[in-house]
Amino acid sequence: MFRALAAASVALPPRAAGSVRTMASHQLLVPPPEALQKPLSVPRRLLLGPGPSNLAPRIVAAGGQQMIGHMHQEMYQIMDEIKLGIQYVFQTKNRLTLAISGSGHSAMEAAVVNTLEPGDSFVVGANGIWGLRAVEMGERVGARVHPLIKDPGGYYTMQEVEEALAKYKPVMLFLTHGESSSGLLQPLDGYGELCHRYNCLLLVDTVASLGGTPIYMDQQEIDILYSGSQKVLNAPPGTSLISFSDKARNKVYNRKTKPYSYYLDMKYLANFWACGDGEDEPRMYHHTTPIIGLFTLRESLAILVEQGLESSWRRHHEVTLYLQGRLQELGLQLFIKDPALRLPTVTTVAVPAGYDWRDIVNYIMDHFGIEITGGMGPSVGKVLRIGLLGCNATRENVDLVVKALKEALQHCPRNRL
Amino acid sequence: MFRALAAASVALPPRAAGSVRTMASHQLLVPPPEALQKPLSVPRRLLLGPGPSNLAPRIVAAGGQQMIGHMHQEMYQIMDEIKLGIQYVFQTKNRLTLAISGSGHSAMEAAVVNTLEPGDSFVVGANGIWGLRAVEMGERVGARVHPLIKDPGGYYTMQEVEEALAKYKPVMLFLTHGESSSGLLQPLDGYGELCHRYNCLLLVDTVASLGGTPIYMDQQEIDILYSGSQKVLNAPPGTSLISFSDKARNKVYNRKTKPYSYYLDMKYLANFWACGDGEDEPRMYHHTTPIIGLFTLRESLAILVEQGLESSWRRHHEVTLYLQGRLQELGLQLFIKDPALRLPTVTTVAVPAGYDWRDIVNYIMDHFGIEITGGMGPSVGKVLRIGLLGCNATRENVDLVVKALKEALQHCPRNRL
């Protein structure tokens, strides 16, 4: 139909006369680009970096569904199922639990922009790129931000946190559970309780760790928890998960100023997701949600429900331990020394002496179609990163990437630096 | 594999001792929700509301692709193709042209938050819901907002705009090209020139009109133009299109304060989309883009390129004229009286006397699986809205929806109000 019409005359029908000028004075000055006259070409890739990961087949199928409306009853049902799924994977009973229409960064921004007001004190564990981003977001909304800077690989002890809470009396503390830029797993047990003793909210980023290692939002007294769709969940990027405890919810609902963002305003979002204050209020249109993205998110949560959280945690631990053993057999040094602090989803190895990390990453991509990555932010040049996320966390994939890495180390130039 | 693992023991492997407490004290208190143990169920719908629309088959196929990385060369190529596609459909040569990782509302917010600084004067044509949203966004960033309120269906004359420009000396004027809540097409010829005589930027929302009726960003001297993916483009919601003229770009790049949003910061986005100031700068990771959403956006632009803009405009005009004739034959009143001001994508009819609009909309959904909608914001209760968007803009669909509407008018209760 498109083709037949395109071949016909392109003269526009006569416009009605009246108050509107015609477009007769304009013409198409930007021609149709040639690059878009070729079909979309998507190469096959095995994504063993820190994310995004490959999609599980059931999620690919959900992505190929036709649309329904964002305000259809069936869509509300899917949204309700997503809320239940997030409550399960976060292990929380929080009512204010929903998906954000954007990447993990938009969930971080939703947490910061809804909770903090200008002048609020905000302490940020900044031991990698995610903390640095939280610092930047806090500064943009006018908070008094106190970054606790650490080198990549460092984590925050209870004592360090307590000192900062006592010194800065923050409204909120930010910690990254899975610091994917360094491969660090931040301990969380006890930190929520500690924060609450100092009347401080605990905000945790679990983008790179959710589903791969235990987290218990309620039992660990985490006030705001968010994650992304494109890591262990194996869904496309573009949606993210967030939940607020009652304490956090009260701060959001009782703030004196409106948050700077309309798109991420939690009161509007809570209404649209039917988890706000007025439970019987009708859902009001806020923005058009990423419908197909929510289909895929729903399926990713359903897979984790079917599999069971503990089973998923165990599999990631086991397969990542296997990877770590194989890497050490190659003579590589794991970047995180303490095994208990190693993230069971993204493994970091020190860039082997004499190599340019880019050569290794490019070799593996060019010869095997496998993505592994270098560092990010403060860890650039220090590490190589291998992610085993969701359906990609298999021994077969470990064997494949270790073979690729071994070959890369044999063929990449050494001591050129 | 998931099933086999799920059936196995769920005991976690022993954690290494050391500084990290074990999780032994926690247990799963939130059980796997039953609703997620059923398969995803998506009904078939013909979406003839104001959007989202149905996906073209080629776009469904793109949505069912597997992932690649957001920083792979092939992804950069697809992003470059998207930029070319946006330049074509906007008819602009602006370098700062890219897709935002969010719905049309996020593009509106990106325009407002990047351009306006606290205290800037901002005049907003508020003749429907989109203008009211721009008012709210402007207020949130601390601009001095001057809404020009009109009843739904009203448009802004050059004279009215000139008076406002002279009176409020704004940094920016907001106009909605296709006001989908009232079915109004705002004339744009001459408005850009007028704004520039008053040293004011012109920001235009073309979410509901792009691809369905002529717009020429450069020739009409529009400074910031944005649109959504889920209307005439027939792609899923979750990405949006935006472009900045050199004048607008200068305002963004020379602002004194950082925009409140990190996620929507145009300097970072411009770098990642390789259309910023430093053309040779390497692309820096900003956020993980909605990769599958960008595949579908690329395909939607490719379809419009293949079809040709003028052909698409003509088809929407013709098919919508046909719809309007058929509606008038049913005795219905078109809400916009002046034919030249009727949006060629979304048609509004006055709710026929004695009917509850909800009954009609529900009847058509329940008996035909077709979505048409009521009004929105200021037009609620006043109109019914029928959208013919992209691949949905066919005479066959007009015949179908008119048949459904006729039957609804026969069967829905009358004079109950």
Side-chain angles (χ1 to χ4, degrees), chain A residues 225-269:
Chain A
L225 188 65
Y226 66 86
S227 192
S229 56
Q230 78 277 16
K231 308 277 181 173
V232 168
L233 284 175
N234 296 132
T239 61
S240 47
L241 297 63
I242 199 164
S243 180
F244 292 75
S245 72
D246 283 348
K247 279 193 181 66
R249 203 168 137 276
N250 287 342
K251 174 79 168 96
V252 170
Y253 274 74
N254 295 313
R255 52 183 295 147
K256 290 174 200 79
T257 56
K258 277 191 184 178
Y260 292 120
S261 176
Y262 166 87
Y263 189 63
L264 299 174
D265 186 309
M266 202 48 60
K267 283 191 202 170
Y268 285 138
L269 293 174

Side-chain angles (χ1 to χ4, degrees), chain B residues 99-391:
Chain B
I100 302 276
S101 303
S103 82
H105 267 100
S106 74
M108 185 194 282
E109 189 154 310
V112 169
V113 84
N114 280 288
T115 311
L116 296 179
E117 293 190 85
D120 278 351
S121 172
F122 181 35
V123 170
V124 178
N127 55 345
I129 189 165
W130 311 116
L132 294 175
R133 294 283 164 96
V135 169
E136 178 156 3
M137 289 180 188
E139 284 171 349
R140 284 175 186 241
V141 301
R144 289 178 291 125
V145 185
H146 306 286
L148 309 178
I149 306 276
K150 269 192 196 276
D151 284 338
Y155 79 103
Y156 298 92
T157 65
M158 296 269 278
Q159 195 186 331
E160 287 167 335
V161 166
E162 183 154 15
E163 281 166 13
L165 295 175
K167 184 169 173 189
Y168 300 117
K169 297 180 180 53
V171 163
M172 188 157 70
L173 168 72
F174 173 92
L175 291 176
T176 307
H177 187 216
E179 181 39 84
S180 60
S181 62
S182 64
L184 181 91
L185 181 69
Q186 167 69 46
L188 289 177
D189 268 357
Y191 290 73
E193 250 182 281
L194 175 61
C195 284
H196 293 156
R197 282 209 302 277
Y198 284 84
N199 204 21
C200 168
L201 299 170
L202 177 59
L203 163 61
V204 173
D205 176 315
T206 179
V207 173
S209 50
L210 182 75
T213 194
I215 198 160
Y216 301 88
M217 183 174 190
D218 287 356
Q219 292 165 75
Q220 291 175 319
E221 295 191 29
I222 298 165
D223 292 294
I224 310 178
L225 188 64
Y226 66 86
S227 193
S229 57
Q230 77 277 18
K231 308 277 182 174
V232 168
L233 285 173
N234 295 131
T239 61
S240 48
L241 299 61
I242 199 164
S243 179
F244 291 75
S245 72
D246 283 348
K247 278 192 181 68
R249 204 168 136 276
N250 287 342
K251 174 80 168 96
V252 171
Y253 275 73
N254 295 313
R255 52 184 294 149
K256 290 174 199 79
T257 56
K258 277 191 185 179
Y260 293 118
S261 176
Y262 166 86
Y263 188 62
L264 299 174
D265 187 311
M266 201 48 59
K267 282 191 202 170
Y268 285 137
L269 293 174
N271 164 276
F272 193 65
W273 283 81
C275 55
D277 253 5
E279 230 160 327
D280 298 329
E281 276 175 13
R283 304 195 200 213
M284 304 279 288
Y285 168 71
H286 176 255
H287 71 278
T288 306
T289 49
I291 296 177
I292 306 290
L294 293 179
F295 292 171
T296 56
L297 180 61
R298 190 265 182 209
E299 287 302 89
S300 70
L301 292 165
I303 288 171
L304 210 41
V305 162
E306 187 177 278
Q307 183 181 3
L309 270 179
E310 288 170 313
S311 165
S312 178
W313 296 339
R314 189 169 47 77
R315 184 163 52 86
H316 284 86
H317 277 255
E318 283 175 359
V319 175
T320 296
L321 272 178
Y322 175 62
L323 170 68
Q324 292 166 354
R326 294 292 315 269
L327 293 171
Q328 287 171 313
E329 280 167 27
L330 284 187
L332 295 169
Q333 301 292 319
L334 297 178
F335 184 70
I336 303 291
K337 299 303 166 201
D338 182 345
L341 295 175
R342 289 177 192 149
L343 190 53
T345 47
V346 179
T347 295
T348 42
V349 288
V351 177
Y355 287 98
D356 185 332
W357 65 270
R358 290 177 207 85
D359 291 334
I360 298 171
V361 164
N362 291 341
Y363 186 94
I364 292 174
M365 175 63 85
D366 294 344
H367 291 77
F368 292 86
I370 298 176
E371 173 178 71
I372 73 164
T373 72
M376 177 174 273
S379 68
V380 167
K382 294 193 169 76
V383 297
L384 293 171
R385 299 187 293 162
I386 302 171
L388 296 166
L389 302 171
C391 66

Side-chain angles (χ1 to χ4, degrees), chain A residues 162-396:
Chain A
E162 183 154 15
E163 282 166 13
L165 295 176
K167 184 167 174 190
Y168 300 117
K169 298 178 180 52
V171 163
M172 188 157 72
L173 168 72
F174 173 92
L175 290 176
T176 307
H177 187 214
E179 182 37 87
S180 61
S181 63
S182 65
L184 181 91
L185 182 69
Q186 167 68 46
L188 289 177
D189 268 356
Y191 290 73
E193 251 181 280
L194 175 61
C195 283
H196 294 156
R197 283 209 300 278
Y198 284 84
N199 204 21
C200 168
L201 300 170
L202 176 59
L203 163 62
V204 173
D205 176 314
T206 179
V207 173
S209 50
L210 183 75
T213 193
I215 198 160
Y216 301 89
M217 183 173 190
D218 288 356
Q219 291 166 74
Q220 291 175 320
E221 295 191 29
I222 298 165
D223 292 294
I224 309 178
L225 188 65
Y226 66 86
S227 192
S229 56
Q230 78 277 16
K231 308 277 181 173
V232 168
L233 284 175
N234 296 132
T239 61
S240 47
L241 297 63
I242 199 164
S243 180
F244 292 75
S245 72
D246 283 348
K247 279 193 181 66
R249 203 168 137 276
N250 287 342
K251 174 79 168 96
V252 170
Y253 274 74
N254 295 313
R255 52 183 295 147
K256 290 174 200 79
T257 56
K258 277 191 184 178
Y260 292 120
S261 176
Y262 166 87
Y263 189 63
L264 299 174
D265 186 309
M266 202 48 60
K267 283 191 202 170
Y268 285 138
L269 293 174
N271 165 277
F272 193 65
W273 283 80
C275 55
D277 255 3
E279 230 161 325
D280 297 329
E281 276 175 13
R283 304 195 199 213
M284 303 280 288
Y285 168 71
H286 177 256
H287 71 278
T288 306
T289 49
I291 297 178
I292 306 290
L294 293 179
F295 292 170
T296 56
L297 180 61
R298 190 265 181 209
E299 286 301 271
S300 70
L301 292 165
I303 289 172
L304 210 42
V305 162
E306 188 175 278
Q307 183 181 4
L309 269 179
E310 288 170 313
S311 166
S312 179
W313 296 339
R314 190 170 47 76
R315 184 163 52 87
H316 283 87
H317 277 256
E318 283 176 1
V319 174
T320 295
L321 272 178
Y322 175 62
L323 170 68
Q324 291 166 354
R326 294 290 315 269
L327 293 171
Q328 287 169 314
E329 281 167 27
L330 284 187
L332 295 169
Q333 301 291 318
L334 297 178
F335 185 70
I336 304 292
K337 299 302 166 204
D338 181 346
L341 295 175
R342 288 179 193 148
L343 190 53
T345 47
V346 179
T347 295
T348 42
V349 289
V351 177
Y355 287 97
D356 185 331
W357 65 271
R358 290 177 207 84
D359 291 335
I360 298 171
V361 165
N362 291 339
Y363 186 94
I364 292 174
M365 176 63 85
D366 295 344
H367 293 77
F368 293 85
I370 298 176
E371 173 179 69
I372 72 165
T373 72
M376 178 176 271
S379 68
V380 166
K382 294 192 169 74
V383 296
L384 294 170
R385 298 187 294 162
I386 302 172
L388 296 166
L389 302 170
C391 65
N392 281 352
T394 65
R395 286 185 162 240
E396 293 73 18

